[in-house]
Each structure stands twice: as C-alpha cells, then as structure tokens.
Amino acid sequence: MAQGSAAVPSTELLEWPKKDNRRLLHAVYRVGDLDRTIKFYTECFGMKLLRKRDIPEEKYSNAFLGFGPEESHFVMELTYNYGVTSYDIGTGFGHFAIACKFVYKMVEDIRAKGGNITREPGPVKGGSTVIAFVKDPDGYVFELIQRDSILDPLCQVMLRVGDLDRAVKFYEKALGMKLLKKVDRPEYKYSIAMMGYAEEHETTVLELTYNYGVTEYTKGNAYAQVAISTDDVYKSGEVVEHVIQELGGQITRKPGPIPGLNTKITSFLDPDGWKTVLVDNEDFLKELGN
C-alpha cells in the first residue's frame, strides 16, 4: 500500500453511515436512588420497567425503562453506583422529551404525585404546540410535548453545543443522521438543529442547541451517552476516526467485544465532548435474549 493512502477514505466507506441499519437505542445516565427513579418514571410518566440487573462485583446496578420493547423503542438506561446518591448534571445537558396526547392532564397527574413542574403547560413561545417541563428526583429535565400521533413517546434528547454547524456536520458524517429541521430564534438568542434517522414525528431525535456566544459547557458527571445501533462496528469506527480528524472529537474505545459480554461496541466523543456508543445490532439482540 502506498504511504499515506490509508488517510484517504473511500467514497464507499464515507457513505456507509447513511446505508447502515441505525437507530437510537438508549440514553445512559446516573441516578442517586434507582428504586426512587423507577417509581417516578413508571407512576408519573407511564414508562415500563423492561429489565433490571445488579453487578455487585462492579458495585453498580442498571434499570432499563421505556414505553415499549427495546428491540423497537428508545429507552432509558439508568445506572446506580453503590453509595453515590447525587451527581452534577452540568450546564451542557438540556433535557429528554416525552410526547403525549394531553399535556395538561399529564402535568396534573404528575403534580398530584408530588412531581416538580418547572414550566406550566401552555403553547411554546412563538408557536402553538403545547409543552411543559418537569424535573425528575435527580434533577433531569423532561419536556412534555403534545402530539396527536405518537409512535415512540420518548422522542428527544437535547444537548447544548458550542458550534451548531460543526455539530450538524459531525452527526451527518460520523453517524449518518439527517438534518431534519434547523430553527434560528434571534429574538431569544438561540438556534436548534434536529438530527435523526427518520422524520421527527416517527423517531427519537437529537436536539442540538446553540446559545448565541456560548462555546463551552460543563458536562458534569450525571449524563453519560446515547447508544446507536450498527451492522458493522469496525467499519463504523473507521468512519468516525476519519471524521474526528476533520472536525474534532476523540475515540474513547476502539471497536471490539466487551469482555465477558461479547457485545461488539465502539465509543467516541463528538467535538463538544458528548459521548456516543455504537452497538452491533446482532449482539444487542442476543443481549436481549433474541
């Protein structure tokens, strides 16, 4: 092979993320009391506890919650580290979003159960969509969005970024996402970009937010990452490496199987430091017992 040829990826490789079988699988974050959060999510949001596992040798427990089976729905992977009761969410993580048919009713139900409503239900500024905001017991914010048609209620993960155009390019090139919508709101000094693998009302999306003049945020130690499926972790990892060279970011785990579990993954940080894990589709289904 000619020297330096490895630095020039083929067009076929760079097109791979758009042809790959991808979907947002889950968001991973840390909580201070697993049972308390499970109770809140099931009783206030109507989520189902899908599975729970305790790993005493590693001193942590996991719970997976969502509105449908993990094979077809985006879910929350909660992590409880033994003895750690609180975390710093930081200034960069924004919110998760849940679509529901009746926001006013859901807010009243949450309030009756002792939930913390941080924005009363009503139309979004400058629009007609009814929204509300709620904080969970650990301080994670959930936006409630009123929609008539709902395929998967867990519909958004909002993250703040320091350069919106760079972030959009990264998620398009490294992860094969589509830019579904871009909105600039100069009167409120922010812009947003919705990124995903299908239309906004059909799938879970990443909402990237740029606040005018703010280029850096604190990450804290609470929110961890999103996981995305792939048919080929090695090929996908190769694309990510090339995009990181162009736009910034960092590989945090080279493609390969997790010891003991044998699920093949690769993980990396985007240019703003947000982590993504790519998970082999077949291995993920085996992990679920399929």
Side-chain angles (χ1 to χ4, degrees):
M1 188 182 287
Q3 191 174 6
S5 62
V8 183
S10 68
T11 305
E12 186 269 335
L13 180 68
L14 293 178
E15 287 296 312
W16 165 248
K18 291 174 189 159
K19 297 172 182 170
D20 194 10
N21 180 19
R22 298 198 176 185
R23 127 183 126 76
L24 282 155
L25 300 175
H26 48 254
V28 183
Y29 53 105
R30 301 170 185 98
V31 299
D33 182 329
L34 201 54
D35 290 333
R36 177 186 67 185
T37 304
I38 291 168
K39 182 177 165 67
F40 187 85
Y41 287 8
T42 53
E43 292 183 2
C44 292
F45 294 148
M47 291 188 202
K48 298 172 186 141
L49 175 61
L50 303 168
R51 58 185 169 124
K52 194 176 175 185
R53 63 187 180 196
D54 188 33
I55 322 287
E57 62 274 17
E58 300 286 337
K59 298 186 177 174
Y60 77 90
S61 305
N62 282 132
F64 295 79
L65 293 101
F67 291 96
E70 287 179 71
E71 294 88 336
S72 54
H73 288 67
F74 184 73
V75 307
M76 305 311 214
E77 179 181 339
L78 310 178
T79 300
Y80 168 69
N81 292 300
Y82 290 11
V84 185
T85 56
S86 66
Y87 292 92
D88 170 24
I89 291 176
T91 59
F93 175 79
H95 60 257
F96 301 113
I98 297 173
C100 63
K101 292 201 171 180
F102 307 104
V103 166
Y104 289 95
K105 172 77 169 66
M106 191 170 185
V107 165
E108 287 317 305
D109 289 347
I110 292 169
R111 201 194 310 275
K113 294 181 173 91
N116 179 9
I117 313 302
T118 58
R119 190 238 194 235
E120 292 294 330
V124 67
K125 283 179 187 175
S128 59
T129 303
V130 174
I131 64 164
F133 283 94
V134 177
K135 260 190 190 173
D136 81 359
D138 288 276
Y140 292 101
V141 175
F142 282 77
E143 180 181 10
L144 308 178
I145 304 172
Q146 191 156 298
R147 287 183 184 170
D148 293 330
S149 173
I150 301 163
L151 289 177
D152 187 348
L154 273 173
C155 59
Q156 284 176 12
V157 180
M158 192 276 256
L159 304 172
R160 298 182 179 98
V161 299
D163 182 330
L164 192 59
D165 289 336
R166 179 185 65 185
V168 167
K169 272 184 203 163
F170 185 89
Y171 284 93
E172 283 177 331
K173 290 184 170 187
L175 286 161
M177 288 188 184
K178 297 172 191 161
L179 174 60
L180 305 172
K181 182 170 77 177
K182 198 173 181 184
V183 180
D184 187 31
R185 301 300 296 269
E187 66 274 32
Y188 302 117
K189 297 185 176 174
Y190 76 87
S191 303
I192 62 165
M194 298 293 194
M195 310 291 299
Y197 294 108
E199 290 309 307
E200 199 181 334
H201 287 258
E202 299 171 1
T203 187
T204 306
V205 301
L206 281 185
E207 178 182 347
L208 305 175
T209 299
Y210 169 68
N211 291 302
Y212 288 14
V214 185
T215 56
E216 285 185 22
Y217 293 93
T218 60
K219 296 295 178 296
N221 59 0
Y223 172 81
Q225 68 224 24
V226 290
I228 294 172
S229 61
T230 175
D231 280 342
D232 190 331
V233 164
Y234 298 96
K235 208 170 179 181
S236 296
E238 204 179 332
V239 175
V240 170
E241 282 203 57
H242 286 294
V243 177
I244 282 174
Q245 285 169 21
E246 180 196 348
L247 297 171
Q250 182 188 341
I251 302 289
T252 54
R253 189 187 186 104
K254 294 270 189 189
I258 301 169
L261 199 55
N262 292 324
T263 299
K264 293 184 286 297
I265 67 163
T266 185
S267 65
F268 55 91
L269 306 180
D270 75 4
D272 288 280
W274 295 117
K275 187 176 179 184
T276 297
V277 178
L278 287 167
V279 183
D280 180 89
N281 268 314
E282 283 189 15
D283 292 347
F284 176 68
L285 292 173
K286 280 180 198 163
E287 205 181 307
L288 296 179
N290 294 338

